[in-house]
Amino acid sequence: MKKGSKKLNKAWLHDHLTDPYVKLAQKEGYRARAAYKLKEIDETLHLIKPGQLVVDLGATPGAWSQYLWRKFAPKEAGAGGAAVGALNGTIIALDILDFEPIEGVTFLQGDFREESVLHQLEEVVAGRPVDVVVSDMAPNLSGIDSADAARVEHLIELAIEFAQNHLKPDGALVAKVFHGSSYNSVVKAFKAAFEVVKPIKPKASRDRSSETFLVGLGLKNRG
């Protein structure tokens, strides 16, 4: 087992160091290659526009918030932080893990599955209609398919419920999902909530990864 683990770690490290998106992220100042997943989804569907209110769920380490920041930043701004109030848009980020601050991004630390944290997020949103919810959330996987499927499904249900309660009628939800026993149930839940549902597997998402992204456009019924 130990030899196998070492081989896997070595293979992962080799793939990581030679990954073009890792190199691009380092060059362009993104905290993670995941930025290019959201970038491709956005460039395909034109979801993110200046002036919007966007909620970033599962935000750590912050690459998606960085991408959003760059979409909202003044053209003359650099790739780093911005003066408070300089952004043409609002970004609210949430994660259970620590988050290195991005100036102009409001961060809440907590577990999205907990009522108190959800209430805190709703207080920060303060009744403003949300344009886009992006979710790169993933549960800690146990390797037991039935348990993992239930965890994935629960997170997606919470994200959909939040979107139904807070999105503009023509808003969008982007959520990471996984191909597996929960996938069809998750797609069904998206189709029940949104007028249009698009699955997208960005080029930056590794081929061997079971992750894909579902984009829900236009709410069918408000929560």
Side-chain angles (χ1 to χ4, degrees), residues 106-127:
T106 299
F107 175 66
L108 300 174
Q109 186 165 9
D111 190 333
F112 186 65
R113 294 168 296 184
E114 294 179 5
E115 279 288 329
S116 59
V117 174
L118 198 53
H119 181 65
Q120 199 180 352
L121 178 58
E122 288 171 343
E123 282 186 343
V124 174
V125 170

Side-chain angles (χ1 to χ4, degrees), residues 183-205:
Y183 182 74
N184 288 340
S185 298
V186 166
V187 171
K188 189 177 178 183
F190 256 80
K191 287 183 174 178
F194 293 96
E195 296 288 350
V196 177
V197 178
K198 293 179 179 289
I200 297 181
K201 174 84 170 177
K203 294 184 183 72
S205 185

Side-chain angles (χ1 to χ4, degrees), residues 64-82:
W64 280 23
S65 284
Q66 282 181 304
Y67 176 76
L68 296 168
W69 187 97
R70 295 182 193 194
K71 291 286 287 191
F72 294 165
K75 292 299 179 190
E76 64 274 11

